[in-house]
Amino acid sequence: MTDILTLVFRTFLSHTEGRKDLAVAPPAATTCGTLLVGDPGISRSVLLLAAVTAASEMGMKVIFFTQTQIQSLPVCLQKCVPSLSPESLKKIKFSYPRTVDELLQQVASLHESTNTSPTPPSLIIVDRLEGYLCGPEGGTHSGVHPGEQSCAAHLSALLCDSAAFLTQLLKQRSSSSAPCRLIASFQSEVDAGHSSGEASGTDSILDVLDRYFQVRCTLDRDRSYEAAAAGLQEVWHIYLSGTGITEACSTKDCEDRRDVAQEWQLLIFPDGLMEFKLV
């Protein structure tokens, strides 16, 4: 399900790169979803960009789950999309479940006709899974017990099942928005404890999530002198990996998918503007 993220990266491609003609390949049928792993603030900005891009560029209906009320669009989004139309925003529904039980209930309700008529959602987004899975303290989950891992598996399975159900509805209605995509964000224990370095597989909840989200998008901050000397506020490396990428590159159109799949950079300027650069 990297087609939405690739469209975001391409739409907000750095002006120094020029506008490369990067193909946005359709998602593989076996791919359930994409998991953004890294800083929660940056992940949320990318998720919001994905929601806005899907709604405005592809006309998709989006459901966005988050614990934190969104009162206004962040500065980075206002800079990237200064002329966002109200009609596009109306395609995005924000929902604010406070607990994992409320999230499970609201995701399950996506199967109800009231949420699929007249048009089912084509993109499900969940902001900060760790806020739902890691208890009220929300800081770290180093003491994870089997019950929490089971909860992560239950939630992931329900999200994937809901995406599959909505995909069938979209196909039955001959919608060009099929299949239903799924994108969620998660700050791993490793990433929270160490501000630099890519998250590894030592996080037990992340291990569970990786079984369901077949593409991982890892955000890794570049703290080198070159990044600071370039006059940028922040530079982030974006790595796409997982079985979904591997399966995509085993097909005959792997040549087209290389630009879609491998590594990008996120450039954040002092004024809040965000741009992406293909590595």
Side-chain angles (χ1 to χ4, degrees):
M1 299 296 172
T2 59
D3 58 327
I4 300 295
L5 289 180
T6 301
L7 180 60
V8 171
F9 302 159
R10 186 188 66 175
T11 302
F12 303 103
L13 196 66
S14 172
H15 294 294
T16 60
E17 288 287 283
R19 293 290 165 179
K20 295 182 179 179
D21 185 18
L22 300 179
V24 180
T30 55
T31 301
C32 174
T34 300
L35 184 68
L36 279 175
V37 179
D39 178 85
I42 300 300
S43 292
R44 168 176 267 211
S45 295
V46 174
L47 290 179
L48 285 169
L49 274 178
V52 168
T53 303
S56 60
E57 298 292 329
M58 302 179 71
M60 295 169 62
K61 184 177 177 181
V62 181
I63 179 72
F64 194 115
F65 295 105
T66 179
Q67 286 180 310
T68 307
Q69 289 275 341
I70 298 176
Q71 303 293 347
S72 60
L73 295 177
V75 174
C76 64
L77 201 59
Q78 295 178 32
K79 291 283 185 180
C80 291
V81 195
S83 57
L84 185 63
S85 71
E87 289 303 313
S88 294
L89 283 175
K90 288 179 182 178
K91 295 181 182 295
I92 307 172
K93 178 182 178 181
F94 291 97
S95 187
Y96 301 104
R98 295 167 296 175
T99 65
V100 68
D101 287 337
E102 289 184 6
L103 178 59
L104 287 167
Q105 184 177 14
Q106 292 185 26
V107 172
S109 72
L110 293 176
H111 293 246
E112 299 173 1
S113 59
T114 53
N115 290 315
T116 59
S117 179
T119 306
S122 300
L123 175 60
I124 302 172
I125 294 178
V126 186
D127 179 35
R128 297 199 65 176
L129 282 173
E130 75 277 4
Y132 295 104
L133 299 174
C134 303
E137 296 179 3
T140 176
H141 36 97
S142 55
V144 175
H145 54 75
E148 289 175 322
Q149 295 179 45
S150 175
C151 183
H154 181 195
L155 176 58
S156 300
L158 181 59
L159 285 166
C160 291
D161 179 69
S162 297
F165 171 78
L166 293 172
T167 293
Q168 290 303 312
L169 281 184
L170 290 165
K171 288 181 177 179
Q172 288 172 12
R173 300 179 187 184
S174 301
S175 172
S176 60
S177 297
C180 178
R181 286 82 163 172
L182 169 62
I183 307 176
S185 66
F186 179 77
Q187 184 180 32
S188 74
E189 177 186 37
V190 174
D191 203 45
H194 305 280
S195 57
S196 62
E198 185 176 348
S200 68
T202 59
D203 185 317
S204 57
I205 290 183
L206 184 58
D207 287 344
V208 173
L209 296 176
D210 277 338
R211 298 173 200 162
Y212 295 89
F213 293 85
Q214 296 180 337
V215 175
R216 187 197 292 189
C217 179
T218 304
L219 304 173
D220 183 21
R221 186 169 181 179
D222 186 338
R223 300 180 183 274
S224 67
Y225 170 77
E226 288 79 5
L232 298 168
Q233 181 172 317
E234 295 178 18
V235 175
W236 291 80
H237 294 278
I238 302 175
Y239 304 100
L240 294 171
S241 60
T243 57
I245 297 296
T246 304
E247 289 170 4
C249 281
S250 67
T251 61
K252 64 181 181 180
D253 60 341
C254 181
E255 290 295 322
D256 295 331
R257 291 182 181 268
R258 291 187 187 278
D259 286 342
V260 175
Q262 304 307 316
E263 181 182 349
W264 295 76
Q265 281 185 337
L266 167 59
L267 314 176
I268 303 178
F269 294 84
D271 64 354
L273 179 67
M274 297 172 63
E275 291 185 351
F276 296 89
K277 180 180 179 181
L278 179 63
V279 177

